[in-house]
Amino acid sequence: MRERTIASHFVRAALRGAERQGHDCTPLLRQLGIQPALLDEPRARVATEQFARLVQLLWESLDDEYLGFGRLRSKRGTFAMMCYAIIHCHSLEKALGRGAMFYSLFPEAPAISIQREGDWARLSVDDSTLWDPDHFLVESLLVIWHRLGSWLIGQRIRLEEATFTYSQPAHAGEYELLFPCTRRFTAGRTSLLFHARYLAMPLLQDERTLKQFLQHSPADLLAR
């Protein structure tokens, strides 16, 4: 995002799940040095460190990696266990497929799928089980899975296209760095399209590097 800062829209959106459950997030914002009045300013921005810490504190207070947007909680540690389940896969395709299968074991979880389309591969997220009015969680999942895959193979996966089932939002300018590719709204699915050659690439990470990675992820993946 612009100048290594995060638009206030994403802060407001991140809090919606907790507020829906009756949590007063004002003390949390003040703890992070974010003035609540700042969220009423559409052009206001916060530091990436503040945003990453906000997401971490929301996970801790809610014990929910879905931040209150799912029908059921995804308890803290779920993402980490998924990463340990995939870290010894021989290729990115195996890792992404196993990760998607891992989350399919949880009822009411947003479905993640990997499909080949000729020379291309598409990672899709079905958010039909979510209460996600700002599309914050589904967009976060796309970002996290794209950046996780890139980290696993040690190179950035170049995106060809990002599609979204909803209409273009007012803050669409922020997507230039979140999804640096062609973007289509009001599409049939929410997904990322990239070249299938990445799927055959071997994983360059192991449990040692994963342990370090998980100290700050996936919040760090969102805040970059």
Side-chain angles (χ1 to χ4, degrees):
M1 298 177 184
R2 297 189 185 99
E3 301 175 356
R4 297 183 180 275
T5 56
I6 308 292
S8 60
H9 161 81
F10 294 103
V11 179
R12 291 191 299 273
L15 297 173
R16 291 283 292 273
E19 292 171 342
R20 175 185 175 225
Q21 295 184 7
H23 292 264
D24 179 8
C25 296
T26 300
L28 193 64
L29 292 172
R30 288 180 174 153
Q31 178 183 340
L32 297 168
I34 301 174
Q35 293 300 320
L38 190 74
L39 303 188
D40 296 326
E41 298 293 334
R43 296 185 179 181
R45 309 184 75 84
V46 302
T48 56
E49 296 81 4
Q50 289 175 306
F51 183 75
R53 185 61 182 147
L54 171 65
V55 172
Q56 290 173 333
L57 289 176
L58 285 171
W59 281 331
E60 292 172 8
S61 60
L62 299 174
D63 189 19
D64 182 9
E65 293 182 355
Y66 291 158
L67 298 172
F69 295 109
R71 293 179 184 172
L72 298 176
R73 284 186 302 159
S74 179
K75 292 185 177 181
R76 283 185 303 156
T78 303
F79 177 80
M81 289 306 298
M82 182 274 292
C83 288
Y84 278 108
I86 70 175
I87 196 63
H88 296 294
C89 290
H90 295 298
S91 69
L92 181 62
E93 183 170 25
K94 290 288 188 182
L96 294 179
R98 183 176 293 181
M101 183 181 298
F102 179 93
Y103 275 104
S104 73
L105 299 174
F106 297 90
E108 305 292 348
I112 298 166
S113 62
I114 312 293
Q115 296 175 323
R116 285 180 176 263
E117 299 179 2
D119 292 335
W120 303 97
R122 187 178 298 275
L123 186 152
S124 302
V125 179
D126 178 2
D127 63 348
S128 59
T129 62
L130 301 177
W131 179 87
D132 193 11
D134 299 302
H135 315 293
F136 177 78
L137 182 60
V138 70
E139 291 175 1
S140 297
L141 291 174
L142 287 180
V143 170
I144 288 170
W145 279 74
H146 171 230
R147 295 178 178 178
L148 172 63
S150 299
W151 176 79
L152 287 170
I153 61 174
Q155 64 176 278
R156 183 175 171 275
I157 297 173
R158 181 177 177 179
L159 298 177
E160 180 70 15
E161 180 186 63
T163 67
F164 308 92
T165 57
Y166 40 92
S167 58
Q168 180 171 304
H171 62 281
E174 300 293 330
Y175 288 28
E176 293 178 10
L177 290 179
L178 283 173
F179 308 106
C181 58
T182 300
R183 295 175 293 277
R184 287 195 300 113
F185 293 89
T186 321
R189 67 180 74 181
T190 298
S191 69
L192 298 177
L193 186 72
F194 53 93
H195 202 283
R197 65 182 177 86
Y198 292 107
L199 295 179
M201 292 185 177
L203 271 57
L204 301 182
Q205 310 297 339
D206 55 25
E207 286 200 16
R208 178 184 58 83
T209 57
L210 176 60
K211 184 177 181 180
Q212 182 179 7
F213 173 82
L214 289 173
Q215 290 178 358
H216 304 289
S217 294
D220 182 56
L221 296 179
L222 288 177
R224 285 181 190 174

